[in-house]
Amino acid sequence: ILVEDPCYLAALQCFQLAGAVPVPIPCDDDGLDPEALDRLVEEHQPKLLYTVPTFHNPTGRTLPEERRAALARVIERRGLWTI
Ligand SMILES: Cc1ncc(COP(=O)(O)O)c(C=O)c1O
């Protein structure tokens, strides 16, 4: 599964207990990098993406509208399951 870097620790622990292999996606001040997301979907063929777009833990970051739209376009085009 694809996760933010850094990622909410308890979620990471749950995913690992279930046998999932977390792949970190680079983030900047606006959140997940849409180009990196696209590239890592291609590279890893993940089952899903886990992301916290509003008041992210541990950064407290909330994604701006533009970044959300860019990520949504990648997610839709790739048919990526997203939590
Ligand atoms: C992103 C995220 N998900 C889940 C939880 C856990 O929430 P709850 O205590 O309601 O189970 C937290 C708590 O900090 C969180 O930051």
Side-chain angles (χ1 to χ4, degrees):
I1 62 167
L2 299 178
V3 298
E4 288 153 326
D5 185 17
C7 174
Y8 173 49
L9 187 59
L12 206 51
Q13 290 167 336
C14 287
F15 291 133
Q16 285 173 326
L17 279 173
V21 179
V23 174
I25 310 173
C27 297
D28 59 20
D29 289 347
D30 285 346
L32 285 169
D33 175 346
E35 286 176 17
L37 173 64
D38 196 40
R39 189 178 67 248
L40 289 168
V41 170
E42 179 78 32
E43 195 175 321
H44 293 278
Q45 306 288 314
K47 298 271 195 226
L48 60 88
L49 163 69
Y50 168 71
T51 177
V52 181
T54 300
F55 204 64
H56 175 262
N57 186 342
T59 65
R61 180 181 58 214
T62 290
L63 272 61
E65 192 66 35
E66 228 171 79
R67 178 61 62 92
R68 286 171 192 260
L71 289 167
R73 281 192 292 273
V74 175
I75 287 166
E76 187 174 26
R77 180 162 46 77
R78 293 287 190 178
L80 183 62
W81 284 27
T82 301
I83 299 174

